[in-house]
Amino acid sequence: MTQPLPLTPEGLSRLQAALEREQARREEARRVVQEQMEANENESLDLAAAQETLGAVEARIEELEDQLARAVVLAPGAGNDGRAAVGSRVTLLNIGLGRELPLHLVSAAEAAAGPGTSGVALVSTESPVGRALLGRRAGEEFTVDLGRTQAQYRVLMVES
C-alpha cells in the first residue's frame, strides 16, 4: 500500500507546476532525440546524451505523478493542539545568534518542489531541524546537530 503524502495547498500547487514544467521538458527532450536519430552518423554523436536526458525527465515525471497521486491536502488551520506538525508555520529563535527564523514545516516532497511564495523558508520534516521540531510547542527549547556545529533553538510561535 502506498503511503499518503501530506501537502499544504500551496505545496500541491507547486508540485503540479513542477509536473507541468517537466512535461514540457520531456517534449523538448523527445524532439532532440528524434532529431539526433534522423541525423546522419557523423552528426548523431549526441544521441546517447539526448536519450539519457529524456530518461531522467521521464523518471522525474513518474516521481511527481506518484507524489500527486498520494497527496493528501492538509486543511488550513487544522488543529494540532499547538504542536508543530506538517503544515505548521513556526517562528524559532536561534539562541546562539539571537535571530528569529520564520519557517513553514512541510514534507520532503513539498520542500523539494521549490521555494514557497510567502518568502518563508520551507523546512522538510526529514531535515535535522524539521525532525527535532515535530511535536514541539511554543516555549520549548531544543538542540540540533548540524554536522560541524550544534544550534540551539527556542520555539516562539506555532500556527496550524
Side-chain angles (χ1 to χ4, degrees):
M1 183 172 170
T2 59
Q3 187 173 357
L5 178 63
L7 295 174
T8 63
E10 181 184 69
L12 177 65
S13 294
R14 282 197 319 278
L15 274 180
Q16 290 169 331
L19 177 59
E20 289 172 12
R21 284 190 305 273
E22 291 300 322
Q23 288 170 331
R25 284 187 61 212
R26 176 176 57 192
E27 293 311 310
E28 176 62 17
R30 284 181 176 163
R31 186 189 60 74
V32 171
V33 166
Q34 187 63 37
E35 286 176 2
Q36 291 298 319
M37 290 174 67
E38 292 171 358
N40 69 37
E41 232 177 85
N42 294 332
E43 296 174 353
S44 65
L45 298 175
D46 293 330
L47 177 59
Q51 288 173 324
E52 188 175 314
T53 298
L54 177 58
V57 170
E58 287 177 339
R60 177 67 176 143
I61 288 171
E62 284 181 27
E63 177 185 14
L64 289 167
E65 288 174 338
D66 173 64
Q67 290 172 344
L68 288 167
R70 295 183 296 119
V72 175
V73 180
L74 302 170
N80 291 319
D81 196 26
R83 296 179 186 274
V86 176
S88 295
R89 293 188 181 272
V90 180
T91 302
L92 296 179
L93 173 67
N94 182 317
I95 295 171
L97 299 176
R99 272 193 6 213
E100 288 188 14
L101 305 166
L103 59 90
H104 194 176
L105 197 56
V106 298
S107 67
E110 186 169 339
T117 57
S118 63
V120 174
L122 299 179
V123 174
S124 165
T125 56
E126 295 180 19
S127 71
V129 172
R131 275 193 309 271
L133 183 56
L134 283 172
R136 301 228 182 244
R137 295 176 185 259
E140 290 187 40
E141 293 185 6
F142 62 98
T143 302
V144 178
D145 183 359
L146 299 175
R148 294 184 183 182
T149 185
Q150 289 191 337
Q152 189 173 5
Y153 296 102
R154 178 179 303 124
V155 180
L156 298 178
M157 185 267 314
V158 176
E159 276 182 1
S160 295

